[in-house]
Amino acid sequence: MYGQTHGYQVEHHDRTIWTHDTQPGARCSPDATVTAEGVVGLAEIKTARGGWAWRDVAQDIRDPAEVEDLPVPAYGIQCYWQLLISGRTWVDLVVLPIGHDVAEIVDALADSPHAGAVGPLVDALASRLVVCRVHASVPFQRQLG
């Protein structure tokens, strides 16, 4: 949904561990590599329980202090850690703010006689997707390291 909505090329990483070039103990596992306008970044995909005002947070985070504005600041810290390990310049934090139970509903529909309902459900979910781009901050990433 994220790639189609924004016109990005997204390569999903399943069980992929990245290791820092000079510190092998420093690792991360980004959910995807993303090519947007010729630049390769990363994506971290999350679901979140309802009631959080994701659309009210900064959509373009250029200062690590803005991480405090996210409903779950640890997600932002995870993005900066991935930037430190990977050397990329940005990570898109992609959030579907309605909870983990949605995947179970989609799976149940796909295996039921009502499989045709999956498409409209996915379209409805895509309209709720929230993307916050977290840009690299070398001084902050050094502190994390």
Side-chain angles (χ1 to χ4, degrees):
M1 283 188 290
Y2 155 70
Q4 289 175 345
T5 301
H6 295 280
Y8 299 158
Q9 180 183 349
V10 178
E11 179 185 344
H12 177 251
H13 298 294
D14 189 27
R15 297 183 183 106
T16 300
I17 304 294
W18 293 28
T19 305
H20 191 274
D21 288 340
T22 60
Q23 298 179 34
R27 300 176 182 170
C28 69
S29 57
D31 293 323
T33 303
V34 180
T35 303
E37 298 153 9
V39 179
V40 179
L42 301 174
E44 184 60 32
I45 315 296
K46 302 290 186 188
T47 58
R49 295 286 174 203
W52 288 342
W54 281 95
R55 293 193 188 280
D56 295 334
V57 302
Q59 300 295 301
D60 195 40
I61 298 176
R62 294 185 178 275
D63 182 341
E66 292 179 298
V67 168
E68 295 294 325
D69 296 332
L70 294 172
V72 181
Y75 290 171
I77 299 298
Q78 183 180 4
C79 290
Y80 280 112
W81 181 254
Q82 290 179 1
L83 291 167
L84 170 70
I85 304 300
S86 69
R88 305 288 183 191
T89 59
W90 55 266
V91 175
D92 276 353
L93 175 59
V94 182
V95 182
L96 184 61
I98 55 178
H100 297 282
D101 50 342
V102 174
E104 294 175 14
I105 294 168
V106 171
D107 288 345
L109 277 173
D111 294 334
S112 78
H114 309 288
V118 172
L121 177 60
V122 168
D123 291 344
L125 294 175
S127 70
R128 303 206 46 192
L129 210 58
V130 177
V131 179
C132 299
R133 180 157 291 175
V134 178
H135 294 269
S137 167
V138 173
F140 184 66
Q141 290 161 216
R142 282 189 184 136
Q143 287 180 332
L144 282 177

